[in-house]
Amino acid sequence: MAAPILLEGLKRLEYRGYDSAGLAVIEKSGVVCQRSVGKIGALESELAGADWQGTSGLAHTRWATHGSPTLENAHPHCDCKKTIFVVHNGIVENHQSLREQLMSRGHRFRSETDSETLAHLIEEHYQGDLEKAVAQSLPLVEGAYGIGVLSSDHPDQIVVARRGSPLILGAGDGEFFAASDASALISHTRKVIDLQEDDIAVIYSDHHEINNLKSQSILRPSRTLAWDVKAAEKQGHDHFMLKEIYEQPEAVCNAMRGRAVGSEGIAKLGGLSGIEDEILKMKRLCIVSCGTSYYAGLLGRYIIEACTDIGVEVDLASEFRYRKLNFTEGTVVLAISQSGETADTFAAIQEARRRGSLALGLVNVVESSIARETDAGIYNHAGPEIAVASTKSFISQLTILYLFTLFLARRQNMSMAEGQSFIRELESIPEKIERILERASEIEQIASHYTGYKNFLFLGRKFNYPVALEGALKLKEISYLHAEAYAAGEMKHGPIALIDSNLPSVCVAPQDSTYEKTLSNIEEIRSRGGPLIGVGTEGDETLRKLCNHMIEVPATQEIFAPLLTVVPLQLLSYYIAKELGCEIDQPRNLAKSVTVE
Ligand code: F6R
């Protein structure tokens, strides 16, 4: 029976977008469909009494873009006759004109969504062959889509297609799946087939066919997912976010595995083989990314510039295209993205390639759109990150940026001894993160003192400035408290006006080359009565005395400190959000893969 499998798949995908959900199953009597607003639990309750026997179906969780999260706007959407049902990820950019044309030909719309146009468009072309109708409709669509289509006239088949939105097939034992994300089908099969742009596939219970838009048959290879269902489950933790924070020592090891060669003090990056010459000619690196991945990029700038003579720029992917960048010879663009599906980052990388630049990717999700669009890249191998708030993928991105720095620096002026010491220090990080994790209950205690505040300031300098930014983002995302981050030196240029007993400051101040200066900023806050949480080096009694609360991290070379200092900030946000009763893994208004620009 399809319904329980679809519901389970929806639950595993709930983290991606979840203001409403629905499913449709082909029964003997025709297609039955149930939708509901809110979490999957609501849909599940509504389905409690249903006795659906059908073995083919579609399901969807929606994150509202066009039209508010109402029942009418929830997927699946259907045609006028309620025979063709569609689920859609992405955006139909020309939906307004399509809707007008379709309405003028008598189609009746029931929702405000762009997605519903697809159901009517397919109905318009349908003459007995569902796949053909889909193939004829899609060239009329501008925008991005990952779609699933079923019809009561074809109970044995489901048609799926993609452009600019992820979609994979899963081959089970006598059953076949399609999903936008592997975690939806991982409990049934690890054998997947990645669909490529403009592929249309028809899946049956025991086989599949893939065609292009011109109905030419295509063969796509299958691969086995490198992780199993355990990676998509909480494993005893209260939340995926906490589980993923605890997976960080392993994420560092996984990112380094087979890449850091301690004896020679070098980094081997297999994903870059074949283009090493081009990379060695690189004079300027432009990093493009969003959110947490952007902060990883900001740190990348500090570390690459500290160890090489390559100039690094970091752009928010959403702003990248608005700059009139001069792509001089030797400019390389690096996209950083956990999901590999972020529309802004994807568009930035497309633009870079159009302008003739070499495009590299630092991506977690294998075979994702960004991974495919780049000329070469490095995978995180961090396993699936389910919580919306990024944690382990940030640590993993940083680890790879350190390796990339080593890769570049050893081809410039870094000596073998320096390279060896670089790797030794990086190798010591997982154990040091473990030591911070052992202090989780202490951090939970500290968090309990700060749940009554509404605003927070995060401060850090040099390598720890991006950490402050990331700390503030984490708090905002999961606790809905307002948090702003500043470079500590910038505080006196304005934000200091805010300081009073109602504004706690979280100061990242390990004992590094900027320590003394940051201490002065902390003194300034203290003298104005601002509550202080310090994140500092183990045994730093000076910082402890200045702050109301202090969280210690083990000592390391200053360049590597962010791998440690960010961990207490993640835990602090987590425990504040938990105490406030927030939906930690699924914060309001957010989705894991932001596939709209
Ligand atoms: C933060 C967060 C988002 C993402 C951003 C980029 O916790 O999850 O800010 O970092 O949407 O996503 P990716 O890395 O998938 O491109």
Side-chain angles (χ1 to χ4, degrees):
M1 279 185 309
I5 295 175
L6 290 165
L7 265 178
E8 185 214 330
L10 283 186
K11 280 191 195 151
R12 291 194 191 278
L13 287 189
E14 203 174 13
Y15 71 99
R16 292 182 57 125
Y18 37 77
D19 49 39
S20 52
L23 58 84
V25 168
I26 310 179
E27 293 287 292
K28 287 211 173 72
S29 55
V31 179
V32 286
C33 179
Q34 180 73 52
R35 302 180 293 176
S36 92
V37 174
K39 304 276 174 200
I40 311 299
L43 180 66
E44 200 173 15
S45 321
E46 298 206 29
L47 283 169
D51 179 28
W52 293 2
Q53 299 294 321
T55 55
S56 315
L58 297 172
H60 188 265
T61 56
R62 174 170 187 256
W63 182 72
T65 55
H66 292 71
S68 45
T70 59
L71 202 58
E72 295 70 36
N73 291 338
H75 298 217
H77 292 290
C78 62
D79 64 343
C80 299
K81 295 193 221 70
K82 296 193 177 178
T83 53
I84 297 173
F85 284 72
V86 176
V87 289
H88 167 230
N89 285 344
I91 284 200
V92 179
E93 282 165 8
N94 58 337
H95 74 102
Q96 203 53 46
S97 65
L98 287 175
R99 178 186 279 254
E100 280 161 20
Q101 288 163 32
L102 287 160
M103 283 173 73
S104 71
R105 290 201 287 272
H107 289 264
R108 292 181 319 279
F109 279 72
R110 302 177 183 93
S111 79
E112 304 158 281
T113 64
D114 55 323
S115 306
E116 192 185 345
T117 50
L118 296 169
H120 295 281
L121 206 54
I122 295 166
E123 175 181 31
E124 182 88 356
H125 289 94
Y126 181 70
Q127 286 179 337
D129 183 334
L130 187 63
E131 187 201 355
K132 203 164 163 192
V134 174
Q136 287 172 345
S137 302
L138 293 180
L140 306 173
V141 173
E142 286 164 23
Y145 53 78
I147 55 167
V149 187
L150 59 71
S151 159
S152 50
D153 291 349
H154 302 272
D156 60 335
Q157 53 174 256
I158 290 177
V159 180
V160 298
R162 67 158 286 175
R163 184 197 293 161
S165 206
L167 200 54
I168 57 169
L169 305 184
D173 190 10
E175 46 188 10
F176 232 91
F177 306 88
S180 57
D181 184 312
S183 42
L185 44 79
I186 187 73
S187 61
H188 302 280
T189 178
R190 287 171 63 196
K191 189 174 166 196
V192 298
I193 298 135
D194 299 290
L195 293 184
Q196 310 280 332
E197 289 298 88
D198 291 329
D199 281 359
I200 300 183
V202 188
I203 58 174
Y204 301 87
S205 62
D206 55 357
H207 72 289
H208 72 287
E209 290 158 8
I210 305 178
N211 292 314
N212 61 19
L213 287 176
K214 292 184 189 127
S215 298
Q216 290 157 329
S217 167
I218 300 172
L219 277 179
R220 299 278 179 220
S222 64
R223 67 183 166 102
T224 305
L225 292 170
W227 45 279
D228 61 17
V229 70
K230 284 200 208 109
E233 286 170 351
K234 285 189 207 146
Q235 302 272 295
H237 290 279
D238 285 349
H239 297 95
F240 278 110
M241 182 177 174
L242 191 63
K243 177 190 175 217
E244 287 158 7
I245 290 173
Y246 274 84
E247 282 173 349
Q248 293 186 112
E250 198 186 328
V252 176
C253 297
N254 289 344
M256 289 177 72
R257 187 162 298 121
R259 291 169 169 163
V261 186
S263 57
E264 295 170 54
I266 58 165
K268 280 194 177 156
L269 300 174
L272 303 186
S273 61
I275 54 149
E276 291 198 12
D277 286 349
E278 276 179 86
I279 293 184
L280 294 183
K281 286 188 215 133
M282 170 168 72
K283 295 206 173 48
R284 182 167 67 143
L285 178 68
C286 299
I287 302 179
V288 288
S289 41
C290 304
T292 291
S293 299
Y294 172 66
Y295 298 144
L298 283 184
L299 188 70
R301 175 168 70 194
Y302 282 97
I303 56 185
I304 294 170
E305 289 186 344
C307 302
T308 74
D309 60 15
I310 296 162
V312 184
E313 293 170 38
V314 193
D315 268 287
L316 288 167
S318 55
E319 288 292 316
F320 181 71
R321 73 185 69 176
Y322 306 130
R323 288 181 62 197
K324 194 165 171 291
L325 255 188
N326 195 356
F327 280 86
T328 45
E329 218 184 307
T331 301
V332 173
V333 175
L334 169 69
I336 305 180
S337 175
Q338 186 286 127
S339 62
E341 300 298 342
T342 302
D344 289 318
T345 312
F346 184 76
I349 213 81
Q350 276 187 318
E351 174 66 13
R353 292 193 69 193
R354 246 193 315 270
R355 308 274 294 273
S357 166
L358 178 71
L360 305 179
L362 167 42
V363 174
N364 189 33
V365 178
V366 175
E367 286 294 325
S368 53
S369 302
I370 295 170
R372 278 207 295 262
E373 186 67 17
T374 43
D375 297 299
I378 311 164
Y379 280 122
N380 290 93
H381 300 310
E385 188 177 66
I386 310 276
V388 163
S390 241
T391 53
K392 68 171 175 175
S393 60
F394 181 69
I395 288 271
S396 171
Q397 288 164 345
L398 297 190
T399 307
I400 288 175
L401 286 166
Y402 287 107
L403 293 175
F404 186 50
T405 302
L406 180 65
F407 175 90
L408 299 169
R410 286 285 280 121
R411 285 161 174 84
Q412 295 191 345
N413 292 329
M414 188 187 270
S415 68
M416 180 160 129
E418 285 167 332
Q420 287 168 331
S421 142
F422 192 98
I423 292 181
R424 262 198 310 278
E425 198 63 31
L426 203 48
E427 281 174 344
S428 74
I429 294 293
E431 186 268 329
K432 290 178 180 170
I433 298 178
E434 296 282 6
R435 274 159 56 194
I436 302 170
L437 297 174
E438 282 163 17
R439 301 203 172 106
S441 55
E442 194 186 306
I443 299 172
E444 183 171 15
Q445 260 286 302
I446 295 175
S448 67
H449 293 273
Y450 291 90
T451 49
Y453 293 94
K454 295 279 173 266
N455 301 289
F456 287 77
L457 195 60
F458 283 70
L459 300 171
R461 272 176 191 263
K462 199 177 175 182
F463 298 117
N464 284 300
Y465 168 45
V467 171
L469 287 161
E470 172 60 6
L473 179 65
K474 286 288 89 81
L475 189 64
K476 276 185 273 216
E477 279 183 300
I478 60 167
S479 70
Y480 318 137
L481 296 174
H482 173 236
E484 275 199 76
Y486 275 92
E490 186 64 13
M491 200 190 59
K492 57 188 172 295
H493 298 289
I496 196 165
L498 296 168
I499 303 287
D500 66 12
S501 60
N502 293 316
L503 182 74
S505 297
V506 183
C507 299
V508 189
Q511 286 168 326
D512 62 10
S513 59
T514 66
Y515 175 65
E516 301 294 339
K517 288 199 170 74
T518 310
L519 276 197
S520 305
N521 302 130
I522 291 174
E523 297 269 17
E524 286 155 16
I525 296 170
R526 190 179 145 87
S527 61
R528 285 162 181 79
L532 279 155
I533 304 173
V535 174
T537 309
E538 268 171 0
D540 182 349
E541 290 309 315
T542 311
L543 184 65
R544 185 173 289 283
K545 281 195 196 105
L546 287 176
C547 295
N548 302 69
H549 293 97
M550 173 167 166
I551 309 170
E552 295 189 346
V553 297
T556 181
Q557 286 173 20
E558 74 167 331
I559 195 170
F560 298 109
L563 288 167
L564 304 181
T565 50
V566 75
V567 180
L569 302 191
Q570 298 166 338
L571 286 168
L572 191 69
S573 303
Y574 173 80
Y575 287 119
I576 289 179
K578 191 173 174 200
E579 180 124 352
L580 291 174
C582 300
E583 290 261 18
I584 292 180
D585 284 336
Q586 299 157 5
R588 69 183 180 207
N589 304 340
L590 289 175
K592 186 70 180 162
S593 288
V594 185
T595 51
V596 293
E597 285 183 30

